[in-house]
Amino acid sequence: MDAPSLYTQEDFGHSPFVVFYEVTRACDLLCKHCRACAQPYRHPRELNNEQSRRLIEQIASFPKKPVLVFTGGDPMKRKDIFDLVEHAVHQGLSVAMTPSATPLVTRDAIRRLKDAGLSRLAVSVDSASPEVHDAFRGVPGSFQRSLEILADARDVGLPLQINTTITRRNVDQVDDMAAFFATQGIVLWSVFFLIPVGRGLMEERIAPEEYELVFEKLWRHSRTQPYGIKTTEAHHYRRFVLRKQGDPQFQPGGAIPGRIQRAPIGVNDGKGVFFISHTGSVYPSGFMPILCGKFPAQSVVDIYQNAPLLKSLRNGDLLKGKCGKCEYRSICGGSRARAYAVTRDPLGAEPDCVYLPEAIREKVLC
Ligand code: SF4
């Protein structure tokens, strides 16, 4: 299957670029930052196979087909995950998956996922040090398991992505991780900046000034490492990159190996992205627990296109505080999930950005 057709910001009003479907909350790990507060067992009201297949068909019916990410919990806790991948691929979707690093991800399971048409496997690694990673994931040996999964996926020929959550525990290890990941044959390093929801509340997030230091390192590595780098819930990295480039037309990303197109600039919670829970509840993202609708009672296409909150999240002119005055608001806008987690206002200013927009600077100087 080919990569999804090119997206622009204009498409966000009718079609998301990426849909996260939390196929289950069941998981055998106890990660400290877990958004889902994952449980060992599947929820009795989890969407069943038939409902999940209908949901996938609705997702495939958007005017532009989004990338579909099966997430959790641990998607491997569902025995029908191979069937769901195959069904989504038959519907014309590019499908990625974020399994937990447990013994369920065998080489045979990876091969079956590839045969079903999975485009990319994303594995979480939060340090170049096994001790730091295992403490973060709550299970001794988790680091080693992640490396084994990466090795098996490489052997099978499934494109790989590493997901890392930046917290106080690993903020000083960015360079070490960047160098280590260069040995892992990945196509993309996705660097997620903590949102204080779920178990994430227990973990201290980094200071706004530290974001800029991490951005500098990521920017440097993005020019030299053999894989792409993207940030998640740190939209102000776009502002950082644009100022580095000195070119307002600069479009970071573009096609990379692995058949899933890099997200277009401007993607944010509810704007090019949305999240469907294990029971069919729809949210702007997995880190923004404001209910926007419910599948199967409602169509997810209708929810994405018409839910009042999602429509307002797509309008940069409605942003408040300094984000609303910022010249980067349409391509950045700050993390809506972090604004909500910290201020309880989904349109509030990004609390972890140090930038002073020009409009505010001019006012101060006048
Ligand atoms: S002020 Fe808001 S919109 Fe401007 S760069 Fe910072 S987070 Fe982005």
Side-chain angles (χ1 to χ4, degrees), residues 18-24 35 47 49 51-57 59 67-78 80-91 93-100 113 116-123 163 260 274-277:
V18 60
V19 176
F20 293 90
Y21 171 29
E22 176 195 60
V23 290
T24 183
R35 162 197 59 73
L47 298 181
N49 179 266
Q51 291 168 318
S52 297
R53 288 169 72 92
R54 296 291 84 77
L55 172 64
I56 288 165
E57 288 158 20
I59 293 168
V67 172
L68 176 60
V69 180
F70 287 136
T71 184
D74 179 8
M76 295 303 293
K77 292 287 268 186
R78 279 189 69 146
D80 63 348
I81 192 66
F82 308 99
D83 172 67
L84 296 182
V85 170
E86 195 167 13
H87 188 57
V89 172
H90 279 152
Q91 296 294 316
L93 295 166
S94 287
V95 186
M97 200 174 104
T98 62
S100 301
L113 288 169
L118 193 76
S119 291
R120 190 180 301 173
L121 198 69
V123 179
N163 293 346
I260 290 181
F274 78 121
F275 177 91
I276 302 153
S277 83

Side-chain angles (χ1 to χ4, degrees), residues 48-331:
N48 62 28
N49 179 266
E50 192 51 39
Q51 291 168 318
S52 297
R53 288 169 72 92
R54 296 291 84 77
L55 172 64
I56 288 165
E57 288 158 20
Q58 281 192 10
I59 293 168
S61 72
F62 275 103
K64 284 202 169 183
K65 288 184 193 294
V67 172
L68 176 60
V69 180
F70 287 136
T71 184
D74 179 8
M76 295 303 293
K77 292 287 268 186
R78 279 189 69 146
K79 289 193 168 48
D80 63 348
I81 192 66
F82 308 99
D83 172 67
L84 296 182
V85 170
E86 195 167 13
H87 188 57
V89 172
H90 279 152
Q91 296 294 316
L93 295 166
S94 287
V95 186
M97 200 174 104
T98 62
S100 301
T102 74
L104 293 174
V105 196
T106 61
R107 182 187 291 242
D108 181 54
I110 294 170
R111 198 182 302 279
R112 286 181 66 192
L113 288 169
K114 180 159 191 281
D115 291 346
L118 193 76
S119 291
R120 190 180 301 173
L121 198 69
V123 179
S124 293
V125 183
D126 296 302
S127 174
S129 145
E131 294 76 26
V132 174
H133 175 94
D134 288 357
F136 196 60
R137 294 284 151 186
V139 175
S142 171
F143 181 83
Q144 183 56 30
R145 188 76 272 271
S146 295
L147 296 197
E148 288 164 3
I149 292 168
L150 289 165
D152 284 342
R154 276 196 303 275
D155 287 351
V156 166
L158 190 54
L160 280 166
Q161 171 176 327
I162 284 179
N163 293 346
T164 297
T165 301
I166 295 292
T167 68
R168 206 141 274 310
R169 288 166 183 259
N170 61 3
V171 66
D172 58 348
Q173 298 179 7
V174 172
D175 288 336
D176 290 345
M177 288 191 280
F180 178 57
F181 297 160
T183 67
Q184 296 300 309
I186 61 172
V187 295
L188 187 69
W189 183 22
S190 174
V191 186
F192 170 74
F193 290 73
L194 191 75
I195 303 289
V197 296
R199 288 188 192 125
L201 283 169
M202 307 297 288
E203 190 81 32
E204 199 184 331
R205 71 185 202 268
I206 62 171
E209 297 74 24
E210 290 176 295
Y211 281 74
E212 304 297 312
L213 299 175
V214 176
F215 290 168
E216 178 71 42
K217 291 177 181 176
L218 295 180
W219 160 251
R220 196 160 28 82
H221 287 296
S222 73
R223 296 157 67 95
T224 56
Q225 297 295 357
Y227 48 79
I229 295 178
K230 81 170 186 80
T231 58
T232 303
E233 298 299 354
H235 308 84
H236 38 324
Y237 181 56
R238 296 174 192 148
R239 176 259 300 159
F240 183 93
V241 170
L242 285 167
R243 292 180 75 81
K244 281 280 185 191
Q245 288 288 123
D247 177 3
Q249 298 306 313
F250 173 66
Q251 299 280 316
I256 56 169
R259 294 198 298 176
I260 290 181
Q261 178 199 324
R262 187 84 60 81
I265 200 160
V267 164
N268 207 321
D269 306 295
K271 181 185 172 192
V273 175
F274 78 121
F275 177 91
I276 302 153
S277 83
H278 62 307
T279 56
S281 298
V282 178
Y283 302 98
S285 76
F287 305 97
M288 198 172 188
I290 308 178
L291 187 65
C292 295
K294 188 95 172 135
F295 172 87
Q298 294 168 272
S299 141
V300 292
V301 176
D302 183 48
I303 296 169
Y304 178 78
Q305 293 176 346
N306 298 310
L309 174 65
L310 298 179
K311 286 176 85 167
S312 60
L313 287 170
R314 293 195 283 268
N315 183 353
D317 292 338
L318 295 179
L319 295 177
K320 299 175 188 169
K322 68 177 183 177
C323 287
K325 297 185 173 60
C326 184
E327 61 274 25
Y328 294 104
R329 64 184 177 278
S330 71
I331 55 148

